[in-house]
Amino acid sequence: MKRKYFLPLIILSIFFLSIVAMNLPTPSTTKTNLGSSMTVFSEMKEDQLYKEIESYNSEHEIQPIDAKLDPIWKAIPGYNGLSVDLEASYKKMKAFGKFDETNIIFTEVPPKIHLDDLDPSPIFRGNPEKPMIALLINVAWGDEHIPGILKTLNESAVKATFFFDGSWVKKTPHLASMIYLEGHEIGNHAYSHPDLKLRSAEETRMEIQKTNDVIHEALELTPKWFAPPSGSFNQTTIDIAHELKMKTILWTVDTVDWRKPSTAEMVQRVVSAVENGSMILMHPTKPTAEGLETMINDIKNKGFQLGTVSDLMSEKRLDSKKP
């Protein structure tokens, strides 16, 4: 570089560095900003409005419920609690200068113990504080009733969890795809409807894995819920499903639709038995196809929402706006 350009370049560099240095926060400035933030927070907590919001929270806060192993119902999922977001609520109300319950902002509080933290156990129901019901539909036969059941579910805006027998999927992949494309959840129901309580660990693994393979081939998904055929299982069944990253699902209320009960009697018996967290077992049968719409309407009229097994097992609250 020629000497005549060297000195101006040095001067420009020094000038640029000086400007950058002038804009950097000094330690005292940083300390001042931190102190200012702490002062604002301290003043906020002393504000009468903030204290009113704290008082409201102490009266309306809902503690989260941990997942647990119940001596009767076995594994029960947790359920989020609900608490007031104090700072967000304060900022929203401060603009109006007064306490207003309609401007309270809630936040969900997760439990400390989750379903995944429990030892492998069967699941018969959702959390008893969650006003939701899940429909479990085990499919190994009854193809003629599936279109009608899907039509009712679609018109009722309800999603169910269908548990597929692997051999059925192998024979009728088009029906399996129809159910899946309607947006329903897919579960595993073993391959050949075996009595798993009498099967070895190796046989159980084959039944479950083979079904997962067939479902993946047909639908490109791997189920996370497993329903043992006829509800027959032992701890080996639960452990093998767990090794395959699946949880074992049973039921709370049984339609016993395979016995061909009268439709009205079946619906009345099921609806009268449901409560928070119930899971209703059914199959693609004539009584279920005929009574499903009434069953859904009656359940909704009792104040319950209907969802999939995943919806029911989720810790998320159904309504986070208010307790």
Side-chain angles (χ1 to χ4, degrees), residues 1-285:
M1 182 182 291
K2 294 183 179 180
R3 294 187 63 182
K4 68 177 181 178
Y5 298 114
F6 187 67
L7 184 58
L9 184 60
I10 292 176
I11 293 172
L12 284 172
S13 298
I14 293 172
F15 177 72
F16 176 75
L17 290 172
S18 299
I19 293 175
V20 171
M22 289 173 62
N23 286 280
L24 288 174
T26 63
S28 60
T29 302
T30 303
K31 191 176 295 184
T32 300
N33 290 339
L34 180 61
S36 176
S37 298
M38 292 179 66
T39 300
V40 170
F41 181 71
S42 178
E43 291 175 352
M44 179 181 70
K45 293 191 70 174
E46 292 302 317
D47 192 320
Q48 182 59 34
L49 174 59
Y50 187 88
K51 291 179 178 179
E52 287 183 66
I53 298 171
E54 278 188 315
S55 177
Y56 182 91
N57 182 51
S58 66
E59 294 176 9
H60 295 86
E61 185 176 26
I62 300 174
Q63 295 300 318
I65 303 171
D66 288 338
K68 69 175 184 177
L69 289 175
D70 184 84
I72 297 176
W73 292 109
K74 305 306 177 185
I76 296 180
Y79 195 40
N80 285 349
L82 204 59
S83 181
V84 173
D85 186 326
L86 300 174
E87 186 171 349
S89 299
Y90 174 81
K91 288 179 178 178
K92 189 173 183 180
M93 290 185 211
K94 190 64 177 175
F96 301 98
K98 64 178 181 178
F99 179 87
D100 183 352
E101 184 178 344
T102 62
N103 286 325
I104 287 287
I105 299 173
F106 286 97
T107 183
E108 294 196 20
V109 182
K112 294 179 180 178
I113 302 175
H114 310 281
L115 198 57
D116 287 340
D117 297 327
L118 305 179
D119 291 335
S121 302
I123 303 170
F124 289 83
R125 61 170 304 141
N127 192 284
E129 293 299 317
K130 188 166 187 172
M132 175 176 275
I133 308 296
L135 303 181
L136 321 180
I137 305 177
N138 291 352
V139 185
W141 37 264
D143 299 1
E144 68 274 22
H145 300 297
I146 289 176
I149 288 173
L150 290 177
K151 181 174 183 292
T152 297
L153 290 171
N154 181 54
E155 291 175 348
S156 302
V158 169
K159 302 302 180 187
T161 300
F162 285 77
F163 290 90
F164 289 164
D165 174 278
S167 63
W168 178 84
V169 176
K170 193 72 174 177
K171 290 183 295 186
T172 55
H174 63 288
L175 284 178
S177 295
M178 180 191 299
I179 293 169
Y180 176 58
L181 291 174
E182 286 284 328
H184 300 290
E185 184 171 47
I186 307 303
N188 181 317
H189 195 46
Y191 194 82
S192 58
H193 214 272
D195 185 344
L196 291 177
K197 187 168 59 177
L198 304 178
R199 298 298 181 93
S200 68
E202 292 72 19
E203 291 171 321
T204 298
R205 183 178 288 103
M206 183 277 292
E207 284 280 343
I208 300 176
Q209 185 61 63
K210 190 174 181 180
T211 300
N212 273 353
D213 292 342
V214 170
I215 290 175
H216 190 274
E217 181 181 356
L219 307 178
E220 297 185 352
L221 66 89
T222 300
K224 61 181 180 180
W225 308 113
F226 168 66
S230 304
S232 179
F233 68 95
N234 54 26
Q235 190 57 44
T236 297
T237 313
I238 307 298
D239 291 339
I240 294 299
H242 179 74
E243 289 174 17
L244 295 173
K245 303 185 185 309
M246 308 177 77
K247 287 183 169 56
T248 301
I249 299 297
L250 278 302
W251 62 84
T252 325
V253 181
D254 191 353
T255 59
V256 201
D257 52 3
W258 53 274
R259 289 184 179 173
K260 301 179 181 180
S262 74
T263 300
E265 182 273 330
M266 180 193 73
V267 170
Q268 191 280 330
R269 178 168 46 79
V270 169
V271 172
S272 66
V274 295
E275 56 187 6
N276 286 354
S278 289
M279 296 195 287
I280 304 173
L281 175 63
M282 57 186 67
H283 306 80
T285 62

